[in-house]
């Protein structure tokens, strides 16, 4: 049984920073990809960032480039999303997901966490 758990959300002022964490357990992840998605009220879930376990190749949405950094600690099956220069439009529920296919499409992920709320006040 694979488990994916996020943590680290909260309330922050515009311009501030947050770090989200995601841990996965239950199987080996050498060829896996861990991704972050977000969903704001009334909007579809959208890709934010992803990282390959094998070689740490990273992928970012245009909205995240230059502000967010995804990284991983393989020994602990742990992935971080460092979010800087946060904007009110970053407000959403952020989900961590685990999969083994192309990283930027939500339907390619097999396991999802429960989500963590990020609220950025203006």
């Amino acid at each position: 049984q694979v488990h994916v758990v996020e943590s680290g959300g909260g309330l922050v002022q515009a311009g501030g920073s947050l770090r989200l964490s995601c841990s996965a357990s239950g199987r080996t992840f050498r060829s896996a990809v861990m991704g972050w998605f977000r969903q704001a009220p009334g909007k579809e879930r959208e890709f934010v960032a992803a990282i390959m376990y094998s070689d740490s190749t990273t992928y970012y949405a245009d909205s995240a480039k230059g502000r967010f950094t995804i990284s991983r600690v393989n020994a602990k099956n742990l992935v971080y999303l460092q979010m800087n220069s946060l904007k009110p439009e970053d407000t959403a529920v952020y989900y961590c997901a685990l999969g083994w296919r192309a990283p930027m499409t939500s339907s390619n992920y097999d396991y999802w966490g429960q989500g963590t709320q990020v609220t950025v006040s203006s």
Side-chain angles (χ1 to χ4, degrees):
Q1 186 76 15
V2 175
H3 293 281
V4 177
V5 180
E6 311 98 334
S7 62
L11 174 64
V12 64
Q13 288 188 332
S17 298
L18 281 175
R19 189 177 77 165
L20 305 182
S21 301
C22 177
S23 64
S25 61
R27 60 177 289 179
T28 58
F29 304 116
R30 282 175 293 181
S31 61
V33 56
M34 189 76 88
W36 286 97
F37 292 78
R38 67 186 183 186
Q39 188 166 19
K43 295 187 177 181
E44 293 188 354
R45 189 171 296 186
E46 64 176 3
F47 171 76
V48 177
I51 188 166
M52 305 298 294
Y53 269 85
S54 58
D55 61 4
S56 295
T57 299
T58 57
Y59 304 84
Y60 293 96
D62 287 343
S63 60
K65 289 178 182 176
R67 299 189 300 127
F68 295 1
T69 302
I70 189 169
S71 60
R72 58 104 172 110
V73 180
N74 270 6
K76 297 183 178 182
N77 289 335
L78 191 61
V79 171
Y80 297 112
L81 184 67
Q82 177 67 42
M83 304 187 294
N84 299 327
S85 302
L86 283 162
K87 305 174 182 179
E89 50 263 44
D90 294 317
T91 295
V93 177
Y94 283 70
Y95 297 90
C96 182
L98 181 68
W100 285 265
R101 293 172 286 174
M104 300 177 73
T105 303
S106 61
S107 59
N108 286 343
Y109 287 81
D110 301 292
Y111 301 97
W112 291 80
Q114 79 286 352
T116 185
Q117 177 71 46
V118 171
T119 302
V120 184
S121 63
S122 58

